[in-house]
Amino acid sequence: MLVYLIRRLVNVAVLLLVVSVITFGIFFMVPKLTGSDPALLYVGKIADKVAVEGIRHKMGLDKPIAEQYLLFLKGLFVGRDYSQGTDITHCSAPCFGYSFKTEQEVWPVLLDRLPVTLSLAAGASVIWLVVGTGTGIISALRKGSVVDRATMMTALAGVSLPIYFTGLLALSIFVYGLDWLPNAEYVPFFDNPVKWFTGLIMPWVTLAFLFAATYARLTRANMLETLGEDYIRTARAKGLRERTVIGKHGLRSGLTPLVTVFGLDLGALLGGAILTEAVFNLRGLGYWALNGIRTNDLPTILGVTLFAAFFIVIMNLIVDLLYGVIDPRVRLG
């Protein structure tokens, strides 16, 4: 197991390196291929050539793309200086870049916005996992019943409706119309746990409605397939209680695809739930990335993209390790 873990960690490191190369190339090489100049994004189109050359030199855009990447990679470990004559801007390690639009280092802002996105993803994931899995199990056990049809119709609606529609609809009804819930806001958990919870209920439920629908349909399909297996009929023939047959033999075998999807979904959300944060005005990673897109702030977008890639790769590693815990057949292989 230790050898497998070490081998997977090495693969993760290589994969993150490849992702950083591709992402860096896309953000800094594509503008040159399309004829645009990233330096103009910071000084404006009406700036004189001296100002443009100065910002290009300070950002290192006048160097070959390979040298730019090596400087970026070096900055992750030892920091980096952006110099223009006597004007020196220092970016401390780990330096994910420096935004010359906001005059801020990317890494400290990432850490500042992370608790918002982390709270949103953690709360919503618990709701959609419990509700979606539970609903799927009930539908599978009552196949063809009114309950099954009603839950699957609701799940279909959840998959079909976009988050910006359900979010705005929920705000209109439960916040502004009925006044049952407070408007969404983020309050640090350790400052006020009650306000942290009440301020995130609406985003949690709205986001969970989208994902729970997918998990309900996936759980139902997996359970129906698993309950038709020979070992399930054997377990019932031995006289085992139905609860044991469903919980220990049926559900456990059908969890593997759910774990895979859950790990990828959670990893993607930790990188920023852009639409949800935009709808509810939550200043997390997704909201910050959206502002970076609007203002063409390349270092900000690059930092959030690499951060999201890191979470997805790590969650994928965790999922692979959980396979052996959930399914003994994987551990045996």
Side-chain angles (χ1 to χ4, degrees):
M1 185 64 182
L2 181 60
V3 175
Y4 172 77
L5 179 59
I6 294 175
R7 187 170 65 249
R8 285 309 310 270
L9 288 174
V10 172
N11 292 337
V12 166
V14 173
L15 182 58
L16 287 175
L17 183 63
V18 172
V19 169
S20 67
V21 171
I22 296 175
T23 307
F24 188 89
I26 291 174
F27 278 99
F28 287 93
M29 190 167 61
V30 170
K32 292 185 177 181
L33 296 177
T34 57
S36 59
D37 189 353
L40 291 176
L41 300 176
Y42 297 93
V43 297
K45 295 182 179 180
I46 60 174
D48 56 61
K49 293 183 178 181
V50 176
V52 174
E53 288 298 327
I55 195 66
R56 184 182 291 114
H57 176 73
K58 188 170 185 177
M59 295 179 62
L61 298 175
D62 55 345
K63 297 179 175 64
I65 187 67
E67 187 176 349
Q68 291 184 49
Y69 174 73
L70 292 176
L71 288 174
F72 173 78
L73 199 62
K74 179 182 178 181
L76 293 176
F77 299 97
V78 299
R80 182 178 176 182
D81 288 329
Y82 296 89
S83 60
Q84 181 182 355
T86 58
D87 182 17
I88 299 177
T89 302
H90 180 69
C91 180
S92 303
C95 179
F96 273 71
Y98 185 89
S99 172
F100 290 94
K101 282 187 174 293
T102 61
E103 297 184 352
Q104 291 179 304
E105 297 179 25
V106 173
W107 176 250
V109 182
L110 282 173
L111 294 182
D112 182 62
R113 302 297 182 96
L114 180 60
V116 182
T117 301
L118 187 61
S119 298
L120 176 63
S125 63
V126 171
I127 296 175
W128 87 57
L129 190 61
V130 174
V131 175
T133 304
T135 303
I137 294 173
I138 294 174
S139 296
L141 296 179
R142 300 185 179 183
K143 180 184 177 181
S145 65
V146 176
V147 175
D148 179 31
R149 294 175 182 174
T151 53
M152 287 302 100
M153 288 181 61
T154 305
L156 181 61
V159 173
S160 305
L161 297 175
I163 191 70
Y164 52 81
F165 174 79
T166 55
L168 294 176
L169 184 64
L171 284 173
S172 300
I173 296 176
F174 298 107
V175 177
Y176 304 121
L178 301 176
D179 197 23
W180 287 357
L181 294 172
N183 203 351
E185 65 172 338
Y186 174 75
V187 177
F189 177 81
F190 293 103
D191 290 353
N192 193 321
V194 175
K195 286 188 176 181
W196 172 83
F197 181 80
T198 56
L200 291 174
I201 288 180
M202 184 62 65
W204 283 344
V205 174
T206 304
L207 186 58
F209 178 63
L210 172 65
F211 283 91
T214 303
Y215 281 68
R217 294 168 64 87
L218 183 59
T219 302
R220 179 181 182 274
N222 290 335
M223 286 295 295
L224 288 176
E225 181 181 354
T226 302
L227 292 177
E229 297 289 342
D230 292 338
Y231 67 89
I232 295 294
R233 288 192 288 269
T234 302
R236 284 171 172 162
K238 289 181 177 180
L240 295 178
R241 292 184 302 174
E242 188 67 12
R243 180 183 301 179
T244 303
V245 173
I246 300 300
K248 185 176 181 180
H249 298 283
L251 181 60
R252 188 174 183 180
S253 298
L255 275 180
T256 304
L258 287 177
V259 171
T260 303
V261 177
F262 179 74
L264 295 177
D265 286 342
L266 184 59
L269 280 181
L270 290 175
I274 295 180
L275 291 179
T276 306
E277 293 179 6
V279 169
F280 293 100
N281 198 32
L282 297 173
R283 306 302 177 92
L285 293 176
Y287 189 93
W288 187 43
L290 185 60
N291 282 339
I293 295 172
R294 289 170 178 168
T295 59
N296 294 316
D297 193 353
L298 294 181
T300 294
I301 303 172
L302 176 63
V304 175
T305 303
L306 291 177
F307 214 51
F310 169 79
F311 279 122
I312 293 174
V313 172
I314 293 300
M315 289 305 302
N316 191 41
L317 172 63
I318 295 175
V319 165
D320 288 345
L321 295 178
L322 287 177
Y323 280 162
V325 178
I326 296 173
D327 195 340
R329 293 173 298 180
V330 177
R331 189 164 58 245
L332 181 62

